[in-house]
Amino acid sequence: MEQIPFVPSAPNTLGIELELQLIDPRTFDLTAASDELLAQMANHPIADRVKPEITRSMIELNSSVHVHPKDLLTEMREMRSALCEAADAVGVTVAGGGAHPFMRWQERSISDTPRFQYLAEMYGYLARQFTVFGQHIHLGVGNGDEAIKLTRQLSAYVPHFIALSASSPYYEGVDTLFSCCRLNAVNSFPLAGHLPPEVNDWYQFEAHLSQLRTYGLAESIKDLYWDIRPKPEFGTVEIRVCDTPLTVERACQIAAFAQALAVLLKRQPQSEKGLWLAYRNNHFQACRFGLQGSYVTGDGQRLRLIDHLRSVFGQLAPIAEELGTSEMLGSLREDALKSGNDSRWLRGQFHRLRDLRSVVDAMSVAFRGDGGMATVAGLSAADPTAVARRRVRATSEPLLGTVGVQTLAEPDEPIIPRQLH
């Protein structure tokens, strides 16, 4: 059995990756401009941290390693400014969000790298459909055994990360009724899912990967599209379930939440009883209903996810004070409890604007900063979701509209989500 070296990292360090949308400012559709954008940034100091993604309508920003989330936020704001300046130069805009509201996967172009071309050949249309946008959070750990332990402990909080970051309610011109539809694309791949429950340490992880290789099911850890997985070459545990938030500020707040949670779980390990039994249902509830989904605890209690999250924030408060992140977690908590997540904000934008193109424009403005989401379309800073909306429940009809995807090319007609039923 081949050993997998684990490069140790300093504990409590963190970094993030953000997959971002490249938008044509005339049509507000995705545009295949990553090659031009990368060329424009080739001589910039951050060029090595701006990467292509699987299709040419995507770009990825990679942070450096940080101890303090505030320093991470400073860096991400600087990278955002550099990226937006380069995007302006090549005639595109940049947006966050877990999925583009009305793009067509058939029109996506695969990036010209050996791995991405291999994925396109192997997975067919799934590769182009994988034009969805996530935030990955890396947490530093000292060795492989610690990585497996933290992966298992964090798995109970996968729904919390999904719901806090959810920003993909629309897909291909449809209101999906999901808070996070992005993970449905991820879960199409055969090795999506979670760490096998029987893997309890690094040796067992090595044995599992060795068996996958022997059976011809995987070549490397990159093939494991798990919700949380170890990243031995970085010395981290990688949380992979988050949609890309609409702003770098929210992305860094969620990273600060992850850092504080990792500290809590190291000091107070949680029982894993019942974890895997409810895992898929909890995952679905968070994707479908976001913060209002139901959550089943390891001991069988059923409650609203937002209520469990409120308790978690209470547990994290003293740790955040130690880490100097009380303000960041306080803002995240207040927004979650009072305003909801980015998916709710996006639906609010559509209810006001009645056109998905205008929603995409608002997404680009929000990402750029310059006052952030609070100034988009004149919304107040106190409540960026304070617009007329209809609450979506499991038995609701989609919002409205009969415009099909085939009509999206019509430039003078508003793009309205078509009905699912």
Side-chain angles (χ1 to χ4, degrees), residues 162-235:
I162 293 173
L164 284 170
S165 66
S167 57
S168 52
Y170 300 111
Y171 189 69
E172 295 203 352
V174 173
D175 186 339
T176 65
L177 300 186
F178 274 67
S179 192
C180 167
C181 78
R182 178 186 69 92
L183 287 172
N184 294 325
V186 179
N187 291 335
S188 298
F189 290 86
L191 292 177
H194 57 73
L195 177 80
E198 64 271 16
V199 174
N200 290 286
D201 57 33
W202 191 247
Y203 177 83
Q204 291 177 343
F205 174 76
E206 290 175 323
H208 177 72
L209 188 59
S210 177
Q211 188 173 32
L212 291 175
R213 286 171 174 160
T214 300
Y215 281 43
L217 301 176
E219 294 183 4
S220 72
I221 295 175
K222 287 184 177 181
D223 296 320
L224 307 178
Y225 286 18
W226 293 348
D227 296 338
I228 307 175
R229 71 182 182 189
K231 193 76 170 176
E233 65 269 34
F234 290 172

Side-chain angles (χ1 to χ4, degrees), residues 109 111 142 218 222 229 323 390 403:
S109 173
S111 296
K222 287 184 177 181
R229 71 182 182 189
L323 298 174
R390 188 181 117 211
V403 179

Side-chain angles (χ1 to χ4, degrees), residues 143-165:
N143 57 59
D145 286 343
E146 290 181 16
I148 297 301
K149 183 177 180 180
L150 183 58
T151 298
R152 294 181 65 93
Q153 288 281 293
L154 285 170
S155 293
Y157 298 89
V158 160
H160 306 63
F161 285 104
I162 293 173
L164 284 170
S165 66

